[in-house]
Amino acid sequence: MDLPEFRAWVFFYLISSVALLWAAFLSAQGLMLWVSVLLVLLVIGTNCVCVLAEIHKYAKKREIMKRLSEIEPPASAIGQK
């Protein structure tokens, strides 16, 4: 994972943790329980979608690298620099 992607993930999880803390506060107060449940489900769903998208992106990148590594150089280029 590149450093800019890492920074985006840290920012994303900080926002997610704030949303979960807010949902815990709302449910502890007994106010707007449906909002806190909806917020928790939204955060968990978004996290799952983002992680699955990263897994698919990594698998696609790995497949491309595998295909590129199978390409053999032409025979005339072997003796040249």
Side-chain angles (χ1 to χ4, degrees):
M1 184 180 300
D2 296 332
L3 189 59
E5 290 181 28
F6 179 72
R7 289 180 186 160
W9 278 102
V10 168
F11 185 68
F12 176 72
Y13 278 113
L14 284 174
I15 290 176
S16 296
S17 62
V18 167
L20 290 175
L21 284 172
W22 187 46
F25 172 75
L26 288 177
S27 64
Q29 295 296 321
L31 302 171
M32 297 190 286
L33 290 175
W34 63 274
V35 173
S36 62
V37 170
L38 183 66
L39 192 57
V40 168
L41 291 176
L42 183 72
V43 167
I44 291 173
T46 305
N47 284 336
C48 289
V49 167
C50 289
V51 168
L52 287 175
E54 283 294 317
I55 290 172
H56 286 297
K57 188 170 102 173
Y58 178 73
K60 187 176 180 180
K61 185 187 244 185
R62 191 171 178 178
E63 178 63 29
I64 290 171
M65 293 302 288
K66 186 177 178 181
R67 277 192 277 142
L68 286 175
S69 66
E70 291 176 354
I71 297 174
E72 294 182 19
S76 63
I78 292 175
Q80 300 174 356
K81 283 189 175 181

